[in-house]
């Protein structure tokens, strides 16, 4: 598999994929990511960002959205959640950090990069951007419940990395400074960090989940993009398996009244439920896991359609296109021999000869252009297939 996206951010992408670092590590000059202050300005100045797309952090706390949106202001209906450029500017001037949430959904080049990263890693990668004014700080010491790859794109920022105070936190176990012991706080505040580094444009930093990080801008405004690598754990898998039990009537039966008052009733209910679980999982067929795949794929970013470029004018037998394998969040075959391709927001199916052609194209994952005429299909079938691939984002015109 090509690793062009990951290779544009870090060195030795193949080694990273084979064994992701379990400790914090920084790389100098490893990234060619192009997302600078001008891009941030364009996004904010456009005046169409919703409150879900922007967060402001001042003195380590998130600012209430009503303070920087049109909420409660005399403006036309429907704009209450739109971010006000003047308010964001004022907060930046006061040293607040601006967070562009879900950057992969509002800045197309980052979206395309995340689709490719997702394809290369097998994880639904997402991205945020953080703009911190010179001499300011967004969030102080904390950990994330997923691993993060930080890529500095403008200015500089100093990071202090410490070993975890709580190993392998799950999504429902976020950072809570009040639960950190005084001894651990002393280590974080006065001890020697595991790694201290000042990132400059082109530098990258890997922070495994649970690792404490504390970042602050230097004398320059700092802009970095943070790529999130979600964590898939046995806990998640167990939760999905238990969620599926709702389809079995035995697990929908009502427990005895008085459960909260009687230890005997609780013991009886636990014993009965344990037997039901044992019987259910003893009969579980590990290879029957399609629903699990569908459940995980729902987190994937939908494919990019490019409607104006791909549909107008209509493709011909000689229109050069290239495969976009990263548009497919997953591929599987049905018992009837149909190829199901998951696009993040939908599923498209192919059958017979077109199914085999699409499977070969996605497996090859090649950036070399091709045309409908080169496909081993009747001309009209080949043209119809190319049209469908363009409409679903599984292919793009080679000139794009």
């Amino acid at each position: 598999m090509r690793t062009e996206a990951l290779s544009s951010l870090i060195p030795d992408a193949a080694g990273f994929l084979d064994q992701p670092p379990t400790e914090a590590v920084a790389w100098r000059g490893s990234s060619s990511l192009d997302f600078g202050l001008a891009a941030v300005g364009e996004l904010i100045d456009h005046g169409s960002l919703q409150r879900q797309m922007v967060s402001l952090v001042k003195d380590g706390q998130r600012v209430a959205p009503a303070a920087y949106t049109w909420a409660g202001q005399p403006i036309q209906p429907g704009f209450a959640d739109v971010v006000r450029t003047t308010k964001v500017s004022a907060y930046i001037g006061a040293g607040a950090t601006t967070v562009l949430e879900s950057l992969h959904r509002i800045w197309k080049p980052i979206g395309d990069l995340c689709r490719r990263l997702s394809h290369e890693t097998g994880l639904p990668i997402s991205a945020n951007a953080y703009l911190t004014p010179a001499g300011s700080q967004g969030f102080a010491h904390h950990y994330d419940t997923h691993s993060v790859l930080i890529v500095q794109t403008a200015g500089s920022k100093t990071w202090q990395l410490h070993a975890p105070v709580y190993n392998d936190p799950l999504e429902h176990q976020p950072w809570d400074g009040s639960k950190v012991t005084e001894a651990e706080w002393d280590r974080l505040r006065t001890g020697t960090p595991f790694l201290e580094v000042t990132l400059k444009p082109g530098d990258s930093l890997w922070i495994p989940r649970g690792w404490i990080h504390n970042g602050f801008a230097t004398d320059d405004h700092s802009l970095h993009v943070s790529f999130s690598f979600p964590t898939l754990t046995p806990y998640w898998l167990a939760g999905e398996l238990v969620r599926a039990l709702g389809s079995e009537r035995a697990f929908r039966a009502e427990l005895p009244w008085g459960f909260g008052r009687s230890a005997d009733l609780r013991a009886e209910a636990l014993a009965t439920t344990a037997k039901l679980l044992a019987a259910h999982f003893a009969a579980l067929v590990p290879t029957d896991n399609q629903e699990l795949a569908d459940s995980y794929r729902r987190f994937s970013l939908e494919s990019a359609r490019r409607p104006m470029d791909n549909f107008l004018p209509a493709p011909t037998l000689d229109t050069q296109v290239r495969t976009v394998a990263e548009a497919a969040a997953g591929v599987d075959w049905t018992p009837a021999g149909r190829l199901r391709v998951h696009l993040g927001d939908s599923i498209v199916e192919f059958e017979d000869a077109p199914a085999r052609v699409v499977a070969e194209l996605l497996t090859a994952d090649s950036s070399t252009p091709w045309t409908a005429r080169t496909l081993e299909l009747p001309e009209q079938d080949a043209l119809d297939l190319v049209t469908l691939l363009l409409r679903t984002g599984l292919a793009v015109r080679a000139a794009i």
Side-chain angles (χ1 to χ4, degrees):
M1 179 188 294
R2 295 181 289 122
T3 58
E4 58 192 41
L6 196 55
S7 295
S8 72
L9 304 178
I10 63 172
D12 190 17
F16 179 92
L17 290 172
D18 182 60
Q19 186 64 58
T22 57
E23 298 179 337
V25 58
W27 297 283
R28 293 293 187 190
S30 60
S31 170
S32 58
L33 181 62
D34 182 14
F35 182 75
L37 295 173
V40 175
E42 181 179 338
L43 281 169
I44 296 176
D45 291 347
H46 191 268
S48 61
L49 294 181
Q50 302 286 313
R51 66 178 179 83
Q52 299 93 335
M53 304 172 183
V54 179
S55 294
L56 295 178
V57 180
K58 185 75 170 66
D59 300 325
Q61 302 295 321
R62 291 188 181 274
V63 178
Y68 57 90
T69 64
W70 285 102
Q73 301 298 316
I75 192 171
Q76 61 209 87
F79 278 75
D81 286 341
V82 173
V83 173
R84 298 179 66 181
T85 303
T86 53
K87 294 295 185 180
V88 174
S89 298
Y91 272 103
I92 291 176
T97 288
T98 303
V99 184
L100 295 175
E101 308 276 3
S102 297
L103 183 63
H104 55 291
R105 293 193 175 277
I106 60 177
W107 191 254
K108 185 179 178 301
I110 296 294
D112 290 341
L113 180 62
C114 283
R115 287 185 190 88
R116 187 66 210 180
L117 284 171
S118 298
H119 183 69
E120 294 173 8
T121 63
L123 299 172
I125 306 298
S126 59
N128 293 342
Y130 295 77
L131 172 64
T132 302
S136 299
Q137 182 178 40
F139 295 108
H141 296 90
H142 70 285
Y143 65 65
D144 293 315
T145 58
H146 53 270
S147 297
V148 171
L149 178 62
I150 287 175
V151 179
Q152 192 75 20
T153 60
S156 58
K157 197 168 195 175
T158 297
W159 292 90
Q160 296 174 337
L161 285 302
H162 296 266
V165 297
Y166 186 76
N167 290 316
D168 302 328
L170 296 169
E171 191 172 341
H172 67 280
Q173 299 168 325
W175 167 260
D176 184 349
S178 66
K179 295 182 179 179
V180 179
T181 66
E182 286 299 324
E184 290 286 13
W185 268 123
D186 186 60
R187 171 173 74 89
L188 297 177
R189 289 169 173 155
T190 63
T192 301
F194 173 88
L195 174 66
E196 183 166 356
V197 60
T198 298
L199 298 184
K200 297 181 179 181
D203 296 344
S204 300
L205 173 65
W206 173 251
I207 307 178
R209 65 167 169 148
W211 276 68
I212 311 296
H213 45 288
N214 177 40
F216 42 90
T218 61
D219 293 334
D220 296 322
H221 296 320
S222 169
L223 176 64
H224 74 261
V225 177
S226 177
F227 294 94
S228 298
F229 287 64
T231 301
L232 195 63
T233 63
Y235 183 88
W236 175 86
L237 183 57
E240 292 299 313
L241 292 174
V242 169
R243 201 179 335 272
L245 297 179
S247 62
E248 298 188 21
R249 186 173 182 181
F251 287 95
R252 302 200 304 270
E254 186 177 10
L255 292 175
W257 292 10
F259 183 87
R261 295 195 302 267
S262 171
D264 290 340
L265 285 177
R266 291 194 295 275
E268 179 183 347
L270 286 170
T272 300
T273 303
K275 290 179 181 179
L276 288 172
L277 287 171
H280 173 83
F281 288 119
L284 185 68
V285 180
T287 55
D288 185 14
N289 55 37
Q290 186 57 53
E291 290 186 2
L292 286 173
D294 291 344
S295 177
Y296 189 59
R297 288 166 180 161
R298 72 177 184 269
F299 299 109
S300 300
L301 187 62
E302 66 276 7
S303 63
R305 294 336 198 255
R306 296 180 173 91
M308 295 300 100
D309 294 323
N310 284 331
F311 302 167
L312 303 174
T316 69
L317 288 170
D318 297 310
T319 298
Q320 289 202 329
V321 301
R322 60 180 178 83
T323 309
V324 185
E326 58 267 29
V331 175
D332 52 65
W333 292 88
T334 70
R338 296 171 67 89
L339 180 70
R340 299 170 77 239
V341 181
H342 299 254
L343 303 176
D345 61 347
S346 60
I347 295 175
V348 60
E349 292 192 358
F350 304 88
E351 58 183 353
D352 302 328
R356 293 190 294 274
V357 169
V358 173
E360 291 172 0
L361 289 171
L362 295 179
T363 299
D365 189 20
S366 173
S367 59
T368 302
W370 50 274
T371 68
R373 198 180 295 279
T374 64
L375 301 179
E376 295 182 0
L377 293 171
E379 287 190 353
Q380 189 58 51
D381 290 348
L383 186 56
D384 290 343
L385 180 60
V386 168
T387 300
L388 179 57
L389 293 179
L390 290 172
R391 288 182 177 177
T392 56
L394 292 168
V396 295
R397 295 178 189 258
I400 298 176

